[in-house]
Amino acid sequence: MPRVSGPVDPSRSLWHLLGAVLRHWRECQDLSLKDVAKEVLVDWSLLGRWERGERPVPRDVVKRLDDYFGGDGVLIALREVALTGSASTPVAGTPNVQDAVDMDKLRRKLLAGVAMVGVSAVVPPMEGLEHLRAVVDHNVGASGLSEWEEVAWEYGLQMASRPPAMMIADLSLDYLAFQQAMVANASGHDMHRWRRLNARFAFVLADALGSAGHARESRRWWGSARRAAEQADDHEAMALVYASEAVQGLYEDRPAALVLSRVDSALALTSGRPCQATARALGARAHALALVGDHASAHESLDQQARVFDALPDRVTRDELSMDGWPEFRLLHTRSLVYALSGHSAAARAQREALAAHPSGRPRPTVQVRLHEAISAVRDGDVEEVLEQARRTVEGLGTNVNWFVLRTAQWVADAVPPRERSRSAVIDYREQLTLSRGET
């Protein structure tokens, strides 16, 4: 068995990092220096020096080593990064972004993870690829404002269909990269656009965290989104943050008084003007009032919301894809839920209209309306049958379930008549919901 060499500290330099990866891969295959040197046609003592980070690896040799270990370009990329990182003179015009952390040390720490990747890896660690991309951007120019606007717009589209837990990691990394770009590039006449985009990223991240069930984190991010919108002096964005936080707060069991205060803040900013923020805020008010039992006021808020919807411009009501739209199915969805919670006699009709209006390809809101039907049915029908159907409906979403769906499913159990709540079917249903959201 080949002797295991002493450790290499990958944090000393990028050449030490490359050597640490090379040694890790060799020892994972239980090979000696001489075994590898023979296959790649080099002197084994030179190979040892490269592993110890004592000398740069020639381009042709690193290519043979990468091919031999099946590295899929990892060693080649590391060599290019090491060459760039070793340069003593920075390229003119390169931004120096070191607000809270030493970015060079951070990159080295992230890159050190490459050393833990076995030779069977299909691609290099994502952090390593990001570092390589940073080197490329260093030479060709970083992403501009218009590119970041497109990234934010695309995340807004994904909110309706992509599982939020899967989206958060990508979104947070892109938001960090955006922050670096904003610090380096935001100035003069473009400053307002950068700040508005900053508020939009914070809004989407807050919304995604809440959708994934991370209530504590989302509350903090709603605060960040509010401050970002204030910095941008964008009253409509501020109103939308308040209204959306109110909607999400209803699904997180936040106090009704707090939710209604957020609604009031949103409406004060819009002065009741027909816009998406006003429509959302009125829907949140109707929902909150239905939960506390003020059904008459809840229904009046729905009527106000309908009047706002009728006055919205076509570009808003016809936009069924992006987060900037507020189409008719949102109006009907809110009415379906509020009528179910308040026991309105027209609940069944409202639910049919909502189901008919929901666009195809968006299973989550459709499942929610099915649960609205269950809220209405469980009061009068066979509790066990209704709960079983509701459970299967939620399970049908698989990994695409989010917190809004799970909380709506809990409202189904809350609607069970008090005399029926001790039944085993009700207890089992609640326990299954608890497990499905990862609680113990």
Side-chain angles (χ1 to χ4, degrees):
M1 176 179 176
R3 181 176 63 87
V4 176
S5 307
V8 177
D9 182 1
S11 66
R12 289 181 59 186
S13 75
L14 293 170
W15 290 113
H16 283 81
L17 172 60
L18 190 155
V21 174
L22 184 56
R23 176 171 294 178
H24 175 74
W25 286 1
R26 176 176 63 79
E27 292 180 347
C28 279
Q29 294 196 27
D30 204 25
L31 298 169
S32 69
L33 285 169
K34 291 183 178 180
D35 291 335
V36 177
K38 180 180 179 181
E39 294 297 326
V40 296
L41 306 176
V42 296
D43 185 88
W44 68 270
S45 62
L46 279 176
L47 181 59
R49 290 182 182 182
W50 296 329
E51 287 190 358
R52 294 190 296 272
E54 295 174 357
R55 295 184 62 174
V57 188
R59 182 187 300 272
D60 60 326
V61 176
V62 85
K63 174 65 166 59
R64 294 201 300 272
L65 286 166
D66 192 84
D67 289 343
Y68 176 71
F69 285 112
D72 291 311
V74 171
L75 293 180
I76 297 170
L78 280 176
R79 181 183 183 277
E80 294 304 312
V81 171
L83 285 173
T84 306
S86 300
S88 58
T89 305
V91 176
T94 302
N96 182 23
V97 185
Q98 293 180 326
D99 290 334
V101 295
D102 185 329
M103 296 303 292
D104 184 61
K105 289 182 179 178
L106 175 60
R107 289 191 184 98
R108 291 189 183 189
K109 182 177 180 181
L110 293 174
L111 275 167
V114 176
M116 303 307 296
V117 177
V119 295
S120 62
V122 176
V123 295
M126 292 301 105
E127 295 91 348
L129 288 177
E130 280 299 295
H131 190 163
L132 180 59
R133 186 181 61 80
V135 172
V136 174
D137 286 349
H138 181 85
N139 295 318
V140 304
S143 302
L145 180 55
S146 60
E147 290 182 56
W148 284 113
E149 287 173 334
E150 184 176 280
V151 170
W153 172 78
E154 188 172 355
Y155 275 118
L157 292 181
Q158 294 175 8
M159 285 298 300
S161 56
R162 189 178 178 189
M166 295 175 61
M167 184 173 131
I168 290 169
D170 290 343
L171 174 58
S172 59
L173 288 173
D174 277 335
Y175 194 15
L176 174 61
F178 168 79
Q179 290 294 311
Q180 296 175 19
M182 184 172 70
V183 170
N185 300 307
S187 62
H189 65 283
D190 282 337
M191 179 63 76
H192 183 63
R193 285 175 63 194
W194 281 100
R195 287 177 172 174
R196 288 187 65 187
L197 193 53
N198 185 40
R200 189 179 183 92
F201 268 112
F203 174 96
V204 176
L205 185 52
D207 200 9
L209 285 165
S211 298
H214 302 297
R216 181 174 178 273
E217 291 80 3
S218 73
R219 292 173 196 178
R220 293 177 178 272
W221 275 100
W222 283 123
S224 297
R226 285 197 302 274
R227 292 188 293 274
E230 289 170 3
Q231 185 186 59
D233 195 26
D234 189 335
H235 285 196
E236 186 164 342
M238 290 169 59
L240 191 58
V241 169
Y242 276 117
S244 300
E245 184 184 6
V247 171
Q248 200 165 89
L250 291 162
Y251 289 85
E252 295 171 350
D253 295 326
R254 301 183 76 178
L258 184 144
V259 170
L260 291 171
S261 73
R262 296 288 191 267
V263 169
D264 290 342
S265 296
L267 294 177
L269 285 163
T270 66
S271 300
R273 176 176 55 83
C275 64
Q276 182 190 173
T278 300
R280 283 199 187 199
L282 290 171
R285 173 181 283 171
H287 186 170
L289 293 172
L291 287 174
V292 299
D294 189 351
H295 298 163
S297 298
H299 300 157
E300 171 56 29
S301 292
L302 287 180
D303 292 341
Q304 289 179 291
Q305 187 187 51
R307 290 193 289 272
V308 167
F309 174 80
D310 289 339
L312 289 175
D314 288 346
R315 62 177 176 79
V316 176
T317 59
R318 291 180 179 177
D319 184 353
E320 296 186 347
L321 298 177
S322 80
M323 56 184 287
D324 297 314
W326 212 82
E328 185 181 24
F329 70 77
R330 295 189 183 277
L331 174 78
L332 299 176
H333 187 104
T334 304
R335 182 181 299 168
S336 169
L337 174 60
V338 172
Y339 277 11
L341 292 173
S342 62
H344 196 285
S345 59
R349 184 181 67 192
Q351 289 149 13
R352 288 194 300 272
E353 291 174 348
L355 286 172
H358 273 303
S360 59
R362 293 191 176 186
R364 285 198 300 248
T366 299
V367 165
Q368 284 181 269
V369 177
R370 291 298 184 191
L371 293 172
H372 301 169
E373 292 178 325
I375 292 172
S376 299
V378 80
R379 294 192 179 97
D380 308 312
D382 184 337
V383 170
E384 187 168 344
E385 181 180 344
V386 172
L387 293 182
E388 177 59 21
Q389 179 60 41
R391 183 189 63 79
R392 289 199 301 267
T393 299
V394 173
E395 286 183 349
L397 282 174
T399 59
N400 205 20
V401 71
N402 67 1
W403 179 249
F404 294 107
V405 172
L406 291 174
R407 189 65 187 95
T408 308
Q410 291 173 16
W411 286 327
V412 176
D414 293 344
V416 173
R419 65 181 182 277
E420 303 280 356
R421 292 177 185 172
S422 60
R423 292 176 57 174
S424 59
V426 180
I427 296 171
D428 290 345
Y429 177 82
R430 288 188 182 277
E431 289 178 350
Q432 288 164 352
L433 288 176
T434 299
L435 290 174
S436 67
R437 66 176 188 266
E439 295 183 0
T440 57

